Amino acid sequence: MAHSHTIGGTVHRFDNLRTLLAKASPARSGDELAGLAASYAEERVAARMALADLPLRAFQHEPLIPYETDEVTRLIVDTQDHAAFAPISHLTVGEFRDWLLTPEASGAILASLAPGLMPEMAAAVSKLMRLQDLITVAAKIRVVTRFRTTVGLPGTLATRLQPNHPTDDPAGIAASIIDGLALESGDAVIGINPASDSVESCMSLLRLIDGLRTRYQIPVQSCVLAHVTTQLEAIRRGAPVDLVFQSIAGTQAANASFGVNLALLDEAWQAARELRRGEIGDNILYFETGQGSALSANAHHGVDQQTCEARAYAVARRYRPMLVNTVVGFIGPEYLYDGKQIIRAGLEDHFCGKLLGLPMGCDVCYTNHAEADQDDMDALLTLLGTAGVNYIMGVPGADDVMLNYQSTSFHDALCLRSHLGLRAAPEFEAWLAQTRGELPGALGFLTA
């Protein structure tokens, strides 16, 4: 279906909804690389004005990727809760944006709306919002999850303790874990990106974390971010698997490039549930996403990268995950060129994920060849803190020596908690108050 808008006598035409969304997107290098972006400012403004007048119902009748060929589209269409959508079904995208900013759109109301929203609706309304709007709406929404700690409560900010090592050396990883715990990091998860994806390495790292957890009775959950098939094999061999991880994307073809589909994720979800390792809750999956993943796999089907990202959240919410985060600047400047684009993308992703009912965190990060620096990350970190982000990364010195990118440090999280009056997850905070003095001795235990 074609769409159009006239500015100063010039009629701007958009052949279909996919094109309209792409042209309405804020400028970013990935859409330009794909040939999808608006060619000039007036075209972008015209697209946004046409999008503002578009009924939300249009997304129900014009799938961006055909239903018959894409299982993510089928998931989105088949699982939409029409009763939850009904209260806003009469609105246009622009009216939806205005309503979201009213006091009537409370956190409770938005939580009840989430199952009725298609990801494309969330992506569309975000394109009409300034940063302040994205922050204001996301800050209303709290999505709380539980395994051994409670993440997402009002007034809290959790962290993923990320003790990566370029050779998976146990002593190096152990030192980073102890450092992070002493600096109040790890209440979201202790999550290691392994240098090797072997089952043996995955199991060794899981046992390392679990040995520390059980010896010192630490209320944390662990995760080794190997491929989901590696983690499934570790489960079959009796490894102490807490959260199961996988990177996901917003199209079937992009997920295939990651070596996954919905059936495999279903299998992993069921296998983790059967372990029953959660002590205060059963949110057991951990997903990471990022704008540009579908484009980098040549699997975007002409859909702009931010809308593809929002579609990944439909995959995530199927599984009631413990944690979801956008690794916002990790893919590189080919997709988000500079600090300005990274900041915008991080707030868009957080907004869309929360609006769709997900427990959103963010890896506030950039690669060393991007036009960005730590000042940009400080800005995004602070903005996300005011927006109510569930968790961020805690990386030694903010410099991941295995993945070779820049993120946020243990101290960054402490700074944000201090400035905004936020606290760690309550179970973790209580443990710290009781036993933190014992932590230095744990290093000897782990490396013995």
Side-chain angles (χ1 to χ4, degrees), residues 150-152 156-160 187-188 389-393 413 417 423-425:
T150 305
V151 175
T156 66
L157 172 71
T159 65
R160 169 190 160 187
D187 47 341
V389 70
N390 277 28
Y391 70 103
I392 60 169
M393 305 301 118
R417 285 174 179 163
R423 306 179 72 161

Side-chain angles (χ1 to χ4, degrees), residues 347-371:
L347 292 170
E348 286 172 346
D349 296 349
H350 178 255
F351 163 84
C352 288
K354 283 284 183 70
L355 197 61
L356 293 167
L358 288 176
M360 287 301 295
C362 183
D363 190 342
V364 179
C365 64
Y366 64 101
T367 56
N368 288 311
H369 62 309
E371 291 295 319

Side-chain angles (χ1 to χ4, degrees), residues 2-17 19-26 37-54 93-94 124 127-128:
H3 308 270
S4 65
H5 191 84
T6 302
I7 297 179
T10 301
V11 180
H12 297 268
R13 301 187 185 279
F14 310 98
D15 293 339
N16 50 47
L17 184 51
T19 301
L20 177 64
L21 287 168
K23 300 291 187 183
S25 287
S39 300
Y40 49 97
E42 185 176 295
E43 184 181 33
R44 180 172 288 113
V45 171
R48 288 178 179 173
M49 296 178 78
L51 182 61
D53 291 336
L54 183 77
V93 177
K127 297 176 192 296
L128 306 182

Side-chain angles (χ1 to χ4, degrees), residues 215 220 249 252 258 273 319 344 362 400-401 437:
R215 170 128 179 188
V220 292
Q252 179 176 331
F258 289 144
R273 290 173 68 186
Y319 302 101
R344 170 84 196 185
C362 183
D400 193 303
V401 295

Side-chain angles (χ1 to χ4, degrees), residues 195-213:
S196 166
D197 198 58
S198 72
V199 177
E200 291 74 16
S201 176
C202 179
M203 294 178 68
S204 175
L205 294 174
L206 285 166
R207 287 169 178 154
L208 184 153
I209 305 173
D210 207 55
L212 174 66
R213 179 188 70 81

Side-chain angles (χ1 to χ4, degrees), residues 14-220:
F14 310 98
D15 293 339
N16 50 47
L17 184 51
R18 184 171 57 243
T19 301
L20 177 64
L21 287 168
K23 300 291 187 183
S25 287
R28 64 204 61 202
S29 53
D31 291 338
E32 293 169 4
L33 179 67
L36 304 176
S39 300
Y40 49 97
E42 185 176 295
E43 184 181 33
R44 180 172 288 113
V45 171
R48 288 178 179 173
M49 296 178 78
L51 182 61
D53 291 336
L54 183 77
L56 287 173
R57 290 194 191 96
F59 294 98
Q60 296 177 309
H61 306 299
E62 190 177 347
L64 303 186
I65 303 172
Y67 181 94
E68 296 76 15
T69 60
D70 186 88
E71 68 174 1
V72 178
T73 298
R74 292 194 291 275
L75 174 67
I76 291 167
V77 172
D78 294 348
T79 61
Q80 185 189 15
D81 185 330
H82 294 277
F85 177 62
I88 62 161
S89 62
H90 61 288
L91 299 178
T92 65
V93 177
E95 290 168 342
F96 183 39
R97 178 257 181 196
D98 292 344
W99 176 78
L100 285 170
L101 291 166
T102 65
E104 287 73 26
S106 65
I109 293 294
L110 295 179
S112 67
L113 174 65
L117 284 176
M118 302 173 77
E120 294 87 348
M121 297 173 183
V125 75
S126 75
K127 297 176 192 296
L128 306 182
M129 291 179 148
R130 55 192 285 193
L131 299 189
Q132 186 179 101
D133 299 340
L134 297 170
I135 293 167
T136 298
V137 177
K140 301 180 187 183
I141 304 168
R142 305 305 309 192
V143 182
V144 179
T145 56
R146 296 176 173 88
F147 189 84
R148 292 194 189 95
T149 62
T150 305
V151 175
L153 290 171
T156 66
L157 172 71
T159 65
R160 169 190 160 187
L161 201 171
Q162 185 171 309
N164 296 345
H165 192 278
T167 63
D168 289 341
D169 177 64
I173 290 172
S176 293
I177 292 175
I178 300 306
D179 188 27
L181 289 171
L183 290 169
E184 303 180 15
S185 185
D187 47 341
V189 64
I190 300 177
I192 304 171
N193 296 91
S196 166
D197 198 58
S198 72
V199 177
E200 291 74 16
S201 176
C202 179
M203 294 178 68
S204 175
L205 294 174
L206 285 166
R207 287 169 178 154
L208 184 153
I209 305 173
D210 207 55
L212 174 66
R213 179 188 70 81
T214 54
R215 170 128 179 188
Y216 291 93
Q217 299 182 323
I218 312 173
V220 292

Side-chain angles (χ1 to χ4, degrees), residues 243-322:
L243 305 187
V244 171
F245 166 82
Q246 181 55 45
S247 295
I248 56 172
T251 73
Q252 179 176 331
N255 283 323
S257 76
F258 289 144
V260 301
N261 55 32
L262 295 181
L264 179 57
L265 295 177
D266 287 349
E267 180 185 352
W269 188 32
Q270 185 59 35
R273 290 173 68 186
E274 290 175 357
L275 295 177
R276 294 181 173 85
R277 289 176 59 84
E279 295 176 5
I280 62 171
D282 62 353
N283 302 111
I284 49 177
L285 293 192
Y286 173 18
F287 294 116
E288 287 188 344
T289 66
Q291 288 192 30
S293 58
L295 173 57
S296 68
N298 194 28
H300 58 92
H301 303 279
V303 179
D304 69 272
Q305 67 180 40
Q306 190 254 332
T307 303
C308 280
E309 170 73 3
R311 284 170 54 95
Y313 303 153
V315 177
R317 72 176 173 180
R318 171 181 176 87
Y319 302 101
R320 298 188 299 108
M322 178 71 186

